[in-house]
Amino acid sequence: MARPLDLIIWFTVVIFSEESSQNQESAYIGDNVTLDCLSAISGGKFKWHKLSPKVENLNSTGSTYTIQSATPSDSGTYKCETDKSALPHISHSGTTVTLTVQERTARLEVITRHTGGWIFEGDQISMTCHVDGDPVGWTYELHMSWGVTPYMSQMERTFTFNSVTLSQGGNYTCRARKGDLYSNFSKPVPIRVSALAVTLTASPKSPMKESDSLQLVCTWRGNGRSSSNLTYSFLRNNMTVKKSSSSSVFSIKEIEKSHTGNYTCAVESPGGGKAYSDDIEIEVQALTVTLTVAPGGSVMEGDFLILNCTLWVNGSSSSKLNFSFWRDCMSVKNDSDFPVFSIQEINKSHSGNYTCAVELPGGDRTYSNTVNVQIQAPQVTGIPGGAGLCLLLLIIPLLLLLCAYHRIRGLLRALWRRRRSLRKCHMPPET
């Protein structure tokens, strides 16, 4: 077999002019077939005949007969004869060869990185068209759903889809052609493209408090299919924070203010297809603990003191927490679910710097502002001690004299009234 510089395939059939059995040879349509008659007699002319269907004196007098781009009509039995012109009485009738020109069959092979044969939207897949005889210089055609017009046509036998789409799903066949010559179509190969519908869920839902636990779950549905060969990625503000081929869950044990942002997840198939979920906004609210004291202002010994510890999360209070109160860094009330600390009769020993702490469900503590409480003793207002005592000594006798005066005056008035009434009784009547 020889290959000229233009890469045309030559198929050589050798016919011996000696008596021998009939040869059977085959070729594919489009092949260039050369019949070569090898004679034991050197020199002379050659005659070529086709016996079935019968064609006398084929257009060749040399030792070879060539069929360009063989077709099924070139099938048949061929014979060569030699004639020694210098020895006219010597001639040999050669043996025959039967040539069968076959149709080229095609086979379409799908190549994907999926072990289970699944194809997902966005995957890279390849389809190779295998044609009998591996023809060179032929054009390969890829047809979709038995379309008359090729879906793709190229000189290479491998067709590549860098990012397959749902619309490219269907039944594919292939064939090869050269001019007006065609191979047979391959058997149809179904390509089923599954969508990667990705969903991201968060628990608990936003807004969240600092030190809460966050769990993000990435799920997908691929036309009812499932696969264990997927890779999951979690992104915050378009930056990857986790990538795993074994887990579709991203957890943060104690969330912080810095974890605020837009979260999304992506599912990537082994074939390279990748789909993203919708964004979920996670808002982490800062914790503010406030300590208030009542009564405000000056606090006197014997007053009733109330300290109230409040946890605020962006304007809303929170419950189900543990509260503790501290005076000068010493605990005065610990691990209570009641946010109030009270002292019924306060004294000077209760003076100091007060703070409260809130213990979150995760175990972290958040402390309040510091409130300074100073207890004051009650004071008597009035004149200073020495002057007051002197004044008191002066007032008391005056009060006693005043009382005696009013009493004596009362007695004198009573005597005067009595004397007057007696005088009226002893006076003679007027005439």
Side-chain angles (χ1 to χ4, degrees):
M1 181 180 292
R3 295 180 181 268
L5 293 178
D6 59 356
L7 298 180
I8 298 176
I9 295 178
W10 291 80
F11 184 89
T12 301
V13 177
V14 179
I15 303 176
F16 290 93
S17 61
E18 306 297 332
E19 294 294 334
S20 63
S21 60
Q22 180 173 303
N23 297 315
Q24 298 285 336
E25 301 292 344
S26 63
Y28 292 109
I29 61 170
D31 282 347
N32 294 327
V33 181
T34 298
L35 304 178
D36 194 352
C37 187
L38 299 180
S39 173
I41 303 174
S42 61
K45 294 182 179 181
F46 293 84
K47 291 182 181 181
W48 291 91
H49 307 281
K50 186 178 182 184
L51 303 181
S52 58
K54 189 173 183 179
V55 178
E56 294 288 349
N57 299 322
L58 295 174
N59 188 22
S60 179
T61 59
S63 62
T64 60
Y65 174 68
T66 300
I67 303 171
Q68 299 283 348
S69 295
T71 65
S73 64
D74 292 316
S75 297
T77 302
Y78 292 83
K79 180 180 179 181
C80 73
E81 295 177 345
T82 61
D83 184 9
K84 186 74 172 179
S85 59
L87 300 172
H89 302 291
I90 301 176
S91 66
H92 289 270
S93 177
T95 57
T96 61
V97 63
T98 299
L99 176 66
T100 302
V101 180
Q102 307 176 72
E103 296 282 350
R104 292 183 187 269
T105 59
R107 178 176 60 87
L108 185 61
E109 178 188 12
V110 178
I111 303 172
T112 176
R113 284 180 282 179
H114 282 283
T115 56
W118 298 301
I119 299 174
F120 295 102
E121 186 178 13
D123 281 358
Q124 182 186 74
I125 64 170
S126 298
M127 289 184 274
T128 300
C129 188
H130 300 279
V131 177
D132 288 340
D134 294 326
V136 176
W138 287 54
T139 300
Y140 292 87
E141 296 179 350
L142 184 67
H143 291 254
M144 179 181 179
S145 302
W146 300 105
V148 176
T149 303
Y151 185 75
M152 297 175 71
S153 179
Q154 61 187 40
M155 297 300 294
E156 295 79 16
R157 66 179 182 175
T158 299
F159 301 88
T160 300
F161 295 78
N162 289 318
S163 181
V164 69
T165 63
L166 292 175
S167 62
Q168 289 174 324
N171 294 316
Y172 285 85
T173 59
C174 75
R175 69 177 180 179
R177 66 175 174 83
K178 182 181 179 182
D180 294 331
L181 299 177
Y182 293 89
S183 72
N184 292 331
F185 276 104
S186 67
K187 292 182 179 180
V189 173
I191 300 296
R192 301 290 180 261
V193 182
S194 298
L196 284 172
V198 182
T199 303
L200 179 64
T201 55
S203 177
K205 295 183 178 180
S206 186
M208 303 179 63
K209 304 184 298 296
E210 284 185 308
S211 296
D212 281 350
S213 296
L214 173 65
Q215 185 178 74
L216 299 171
V217 180
C218 191
T219 57
W220 71 280
R221 297 185 63 186
N223 294 351
R225 299 181 179 184
S226 62
S227 175
S228 59
N229 298 320
L230 300 175
T231 300
Y232 298 88
S233 300
F234 293 86
L235 301 93
R236 178 174 65 243
N237 299 330
N238 298 322
M239 297 293 292
T240 301
V241 292
K242 182 183 179 182
K243 187 173 184 179
S244 172
S245 58
S246 60
S247 175
S248 61
V249 177
F250 174 49
S251 299
I252 302 175
K253 186 177 180 180
E254 294 182 4
I255 200 166
E256 300 175 357
K257 185 71 175 176
S258 61
H259 293 132
T260 296
N262 291 319
Y263 286 79
T264 186
C265 73
V267 176
E268 184 175 358
S269 70
K274 198 170 188 179
Y276 292 84
S277 70
D278 292 334
D279 287 350
I280 291 182
E281 183 179 2
I282 299 297
E283 180 186 359
V284 182
Q285 298 177 343
L287 301 178
T288 303
V289 180
T290 303
L291 177 65
T292 57
V293 176
S298 298
V299 182
M300 307 299 295
E301 282 188 303
D303 283 350
F304 186 75
L305 182 68
I306 299 176
L307 294 95
N308 188 18
C309 190
T310 306
L311 173 65
W312 291 87
V313 184
N314 285 9
S316 61
S317 60
S318 180
S319 58
K320 299 182 179 179
L321 304 169
N322 286 328
F323 298 86
S324 57
F325 293 84
W326 305 72
R327 180 177 65 240
D328 296 332
C329 300
M330 298 293 292
S331 175
V332 293
K333 183 179 180 182
N334 196 24
D335 295 335
S336 171
D337 58 358
F338 191 57
V340 175
F341 173 54
S342 60
I343 304 174
Q344 294 201 11
E345 293 186 5
I346 199 165
N347 55 54
K348 288 188 70 67
S349 65
H350 295 128
S351 297
N353 293 318
Y354 285 81
T355 58
C356 70
V358 177
E359 184 175 342
L360 305 170
D364 286 347
R365 280 185 173 179
T366 302
Y367 291 86
S368 72
N369 55 305
T370 300
V371 176
N372 181 264
V373 176
Q374 294 297 326
I375 312 302
Q376 299 179 7
Q379 295 182 359
V380 178
T381 58
I383 300 173
L389 181 59
C390 295
L391 182 61
L392 184 60
L393 293 176
L394 292 174
I395 290 174
I396 291 175
L398 292 175
L399 290 176
L400 292 175
L401 290 174
L402 182 61
C403 291
Y405 167 75
H406 284 289
R407 188 169 183 177
I408 294 171
R409 185 180 177 184
L411 290 174
L412 292 174
R413 284 183 177 179
L415 292 173
W416 182 77
R417 289 193 192 97
R418 185 176 180 183
R419 186 176 179 180
R420 187 177 178 182
S421 61
L422 291 173
R423 190 180 291 175
K424 286 180 178 181
C425 292
H426 293 89
M427 289 182 63
E430 294 180 0
T431 58

